[in-house]
Amino acid sequence: MSGVEKKSWISYRRHWIPVVALGLGVAATVWWFVSPWPAALMIRGLFEKGANDTVAEMQPYVPTSGVTAQLGLAYGDGENETFDLFRPETADAALPTVVWIHGGAWISGQSANVDPYARILANEGYTTVSLNYTVAPEAVYPTAITQLNDALAYLVGHAEELGIDPDRIVIAGDSAGANLTSQLAVLTTNPSYASELGIEPALAAEQLRAVILNCGIYDVSGIPNAPGVGGWGFRVALWAYLGEKDWSNTPGGQEMSTLDYVTADFPRTWISGGNADPLTPTQSQPLAEKLGSLGVDVTSVFYPEDHEPALPHEYQFHLDFEDARTALQSTIDFLADVTG
């Protein structure tokens, strides 16, 4: 037996399997810390489930007839450059138009998440549009804002065939979509901001009648130090969206904070946030106060801290809440006022 060659320990499968597993584990751990992809995709999965649940909750309140739908229309050549369009069946002329930008922390979401709300608003006598854009990490800033501006240009350029009144447009958004909405509004009304971004606004200021802002983010300066899981999640999302781990020192990290760029020319604004949403006291209320101090016409829908039931982030889509239905009616009344 002395002539038999002794195998090294690594030649036995029972030895190299754990070595490979360890190597993969180390690689995965390193990737987790050097790339936003793993955490961003994990967060995306959680957000997508929540969005699907919210869509299901809205369905009983969506009109089952009276609204026509065109889904997946293209405003550009990119895979995500599409929109859904809704109009009253009886409409035979161009209508004032609500363009809705979905949320999802800049890393998730799609037009289908807000289509039920868009159908509800269309039933009130509007052409409504829900836009898609490329989320992060698949694309980084300023891709989304550029795409959305291009979408507005397409809608105005094809207004007649789409049933859009190009002189009565309202842009709306929820969560990260509200941030993007606020950027588009500043882009339209603040020439120095448009110059800083290097983007030619698709709309003239007089075409943008108003904005609707639900549960948004308008000042990212405090997020690097935000506590808890929520703060960690925002930091991951912004790393993915802005393309750099030290995103707070990037131009995009400054330009996203629209609180610093709004002027007295900002359009009329409807703004809301739930009392259990941590973004309300840190984001929505400060923006409402800033706009009011500039003389902008602001309709604010906020709630006392001890309001019951406690209203969470994106409460406006949870139409089982009486307060969400009241906020919807307030939105409808606001639209009638600004587009009439």
Side-chain angles (χ1 to χ4, degrees):
M1 300 297 294
S2 60
V4 176
E5 183 179 354
K6 186 176 181 181
K7 293 183 178 180
S8 65
W9 71 274
I10 196 64
S11 65
Y12 290 96
R13 179 174 297 181
R14 67 179 182 275
H15 291 150
W16 62 255
I17 288 178
V19 171
V20 171
L22 176 62
L24 291 173
V26 170
T29 301
V30 170
W31 190 36
W32 185 277
F33 287 102
V34 301
S35 169
W37 277 87
L41 294 182
M42 180 188 73
I43 296 169
R44 179 184 294 176
L46 295 173
F47 275 41
E48 286 177 348
K49 182 184 184 306
N52 291 337
D53 291 344
T54 302
V55 167
E57 185 177 339
M58 283 191 279
Q59 287 303 329
Y61 302 91
V62 177
T64 57
S65 62
V67 173
T68 63
Q70 298 179 71
L71 307 180
L73 301 176
Y75 65 81
D77 297 329
E79 178 182 357
N80 300 296
E81 295 176 344
T82 62
F83 64 97
D84 301 336
L85 183 140
F86 307 93
R87 278 171 56 82
E89 285 183 351
T90 57
D92 57 4
L95 298 174
T97 300
V98 181
V99 180
W100 201 288
I101 302 171
H102 70 77
W106 307 280
I107 59 174
S108 69
Q110 56 185 312
S111 60
N113 300 153
V114 298
D115 279 356
Y117 215 75
R119 288 178 184 268
I120 293 170
L121 295 179
N123 197 51
E124 298 295 325
Y126 300 92
T127 297
T128 60
V129 175
S130 56
L131 295 176
N132 283 307
Y133 54 93
T134 306
V135 298
E138 286 83 346
V140 297
Y141 183 89
T143 299
I145 194 70
T146 300
Q147 288 176 325
L148 293 168
N149 188 63
D150 289 345
L152 292 174
Y154 180 90
L155 295 175
V156 170
H158 295 78
E160 184 175 358
E161 64 190 81
L162 295 173
I164 289 171
D165 183 342
D167 295 319
R168 290 188 291 171
I169 292 178
V170 176
I171 308 176
D174 59 282
S175 194
N179 171 257
L180 291 161
T181 295
S182 71
Q183 278 198 275
L184 289 168
V186 177
L187 183 72
T188 304
T189 57
N190 184 343
S192 64
Y193 184 73
S195 178
E196 183 174 328
L197 268 62
I199 298 175
E200 181 71 24
L203 301 179
E206 59 270 18
Q207 292 177 293
L208 180 56
R209 291 293 187 92
V211 294
I212 295 170
L213 304 172
N214 282 285
C215 307
I217 301 93
Y218 316 103
D219 179 9
V220 300
S221 63
I223 290 177
N225 299 314
V229 174
W232 170 81
F234 269 120
R235 286 188 286 275
V236 168
L238 288 168
W239 177 11
Y241 181 58
L242 291 166
E244 294 187 29
K245 192 169 188 178
D246 187 16
W247 53 264
S248 62
N249 292 318
T250 65
Q254 304 299 315
E255 293 158 1
M256 290 178 67
S257 291
T258 49
L259 183 74
D260 298 330
Y261 294 95
V262 295
T263 69
D265 295 322
F266 196 82
R268 294 181 64 178
T269 300
W270 188 96
I271 186 168
S272 186
N275 64 308
D277 183 352
L279 296 179
T280 299
T282 61
Q283 302 288 334
S284 297
Q285 289 175 330
L287 180 63
E289 292 166 5
K290 175 72 175 287
L291 292 173
S293 72
L294 292 169
V296 176
D297 188 335
V298 179
T299 300
S300 299
V301 180
F302 297 123
Y303 306 84
E305 290 185 13
D306 60 355
H307 179 80
E308 292 293 338
L311 300 173
H313 185 60
E314 299 273 47
Y315 85 95
Q316 77 284 343
F317 291 150
H318 296 281
L319 292 172
D320 286 344
F321 286 127
E322 181 180 354
D323 295 301
R325 298 192 297 273
T326 300
L328 171 60
Q329 186 58 54
S330 175
T331 300
I332 292 168
D333 293 343
F334 175 78
L335 286 171
D337 187 30
V338 299
T339 64

